[in-house]
DNA sequence: TATGAATGAGTCTTCATTCAT
DNA sequence: AATGAATGAAGACTCATTCAT
């Protein structure tokens, strides 16, 4: 079925994000290939996880670039970021939620840099008066990823329609649950 | 040292939430007891996980009761709930994040009931005009737990001070990131 | 490069005698051919080993014939045998040292017949008074092969010059280590 | 059955010296323990091989000491060495014959030192006029081990009686196959 | 209650082998 | 003839669990 590396990685993420202890066996089955082929494509479980992290970081970096988060109105930038990153919510959720699976310093450092770009966006927004200053920018960044991951899970499990996901994320994150007139 | 069941469970949660594949060996060491004692206290890994789930549900249920979420102003009820549940954020994060570890239907059903109580709170709040109606109550409920889990991790990892955790959760969840005059 | 069966066999012996667990991959590389070609030439690892044995036996039989070990002075016959067999020391070492690799009865039986011809030579020599009778002829035969294999290894590893190998074998085997006036 | 480390090692040697590719499975069965226990006693195949080497070197060193090979008549010293080492012929055969299995430099260096002590004995004997000078001392040393290994195999396979083994080794090695009046 | 020995049941990984290109 | 993809079978290794001390 899925014989190219990337589709195997996506199948692996789909499984590992729900079941971090999944055996290579199950991952291979989920990808529609045999265990041995999985091991040929990725020599060892660690290598597989590493490549998932690399892919997730690449997607995340591309999304940050595409959203030009360093420019323009911070609130609009958050909306653009959500647009760009939601298609990869599952991947990003994996790396942010299961970051403890990565022994690899290269991955963790790269993730820190991504995180810093997002935190910088919120800091910029706080300085411009767009975002509330009572909450640390780092927490805003982390919360954004928490909700992004939540959206990813909810969509995958069918609890949230795909086309609602963007609004669910941005409306709640930006505006909160409380109604304003 | 920690010979009573509950402290062992808490130690296990602390380890398993960062390292879901941790061996019984390591769990025992983390709890300061021997493997054999761990096995005597909980007959098998599955039983251990099951009891963690049971404990988490009990704490969550107690928190919902203590917060009297079915009564009074919905926004105030959410604040009371956050107060009551944040001390158990780690436990709740475990059961909500790793819910697929539980084959046990009893646990999953009980969790659904807990979830329903929270969703009912938001539904009530939407009907009373307190919460925004653009977002499904079920998503509000899920997002609340996502942020609660995020707060739990951030506190455990030292990224968020304990006494800030309540405000970080409720302010963001209720009010969103955008500043109002 | 080495596309004829025999040179492949010799390359395989060279590798397998140092590294009995060598993978087919490595054998192919050592022979300068591809895995697929190796598999075409010899259908399976077992077949390869079998053919090595066959080749070794053929060489050994030819050496016994060429040395006319059944005729003439036994001591001279041993010298002729050493002459004839030393060029194939590596092959013979393989089959005598790794004989348990051969499940094949045909190989083992043929090896027994070869062994018997050598033992017969020593028996004849003992009866003619040329060889000592304190030592069983079968042990003389076995010891001869042990030393032959040792010479083969020593030459291959460069611990013994090629042109000394014959003397090293025959002098020690026939005359022993102790000096006579 | 054999639950102490040493008897497991000896069982492993017995198997590995005939079948260097034997699986851990078979080794465990030969030792009368389960695979898992074998892995607990020796963490990995490499560790097992390493410990065999260590044991063999210890035995060999003790034999060299016990035989006081550095003192007295060289021929008598060889006889004492044979006496002391024949009970461990199998172990010594393993390390001398399968030395390529040892990646470990510590083992190989230690073996070189053992080998050097034996070669020194022969060199001393050549200088004293006891041993023939036509043959390099290093070859005498190597040939001694070749025959020792051969004796070990022959005894194990029942081709040579245990009480004949010493004579078979020393008589052939010292005196050669040719009869003297 | 703790410790260490022991093992069945997996899991990870490699290899020989085949096939399509 | 060579290369790379693919896999069943097998080997190495780990772990949860039990028992004896």
């Amino acid at each position: 079925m899925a014989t190219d590396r990337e589709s195997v990685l996506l199948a692996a993420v789909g499984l590992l994000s729900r079941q971090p202890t999944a055996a290579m066996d199950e991952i291979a089955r989920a990808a529609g290939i045999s265990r041995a082929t999985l091991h040929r494509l990725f020599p060892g479980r660690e290598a597989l996880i590493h490549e998932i992290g690399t892919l997730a970081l690449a997607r995340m970096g591309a999304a940050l670039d595409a959203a030009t988060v360093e420019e323009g109105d911070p609130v609009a930038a958050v909306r653009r970021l959500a647009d760009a990153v939601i298609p990869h919510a599952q991947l990003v959720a994996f790396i942010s939620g299961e970051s403890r699976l990565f022994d690899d310093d290269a991955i963790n450092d790269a993730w820190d840099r991504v995180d810093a770009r997002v935190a910088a966006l919120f800091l910029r927004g706080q300085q411009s008066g767009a975002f509330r200053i009572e909450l640390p920018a780092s927490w805003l960044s982390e919360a954004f990823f928490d909700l992004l991951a939540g959206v990813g899970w909810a969509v995958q499990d069918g609890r949230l329609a795909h086309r609602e996901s963007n609004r669910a994320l941005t409306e709640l994150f930006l505006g909160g649950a409380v109604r304003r007139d």
Side-chain angles (χ1 to χ4, degrees), chain A residues 2 8 45 50 55 74 78 83 103-104 120 130 133 143 145 153 156:
Chain A
V8 172
R45 185 193 188 86
H50 176 89
L55 180 63
V78 168
D83 270 343
D103 278 343
D104 197 326
I133 56 172
F145 284 115
W153 289 325
Q156 188 180 359

Side-chain angles (χ1 to χ4, degrees), chain A residues 59-70 81 84 113-114 117-118:
Chain A
R59 290 281 189 276
M60 188 66 210
L64 284 166
D65 291 341
T68 59
V69 291
E70 278 85 5
L81 179 58
R113 280 193 295 278
V114 160
R117 283 182 78 182
V118 179

Side-chain angles (χ1 to χ4, degrees), chain A residues 93-104:
Chain A
F94 183 78
I95 198 174
S96 86
E98 313 288 337
S99 66
R100 32 242 143 110
L101 288 182
F102 297 96
D103 278 343
D104 197 326

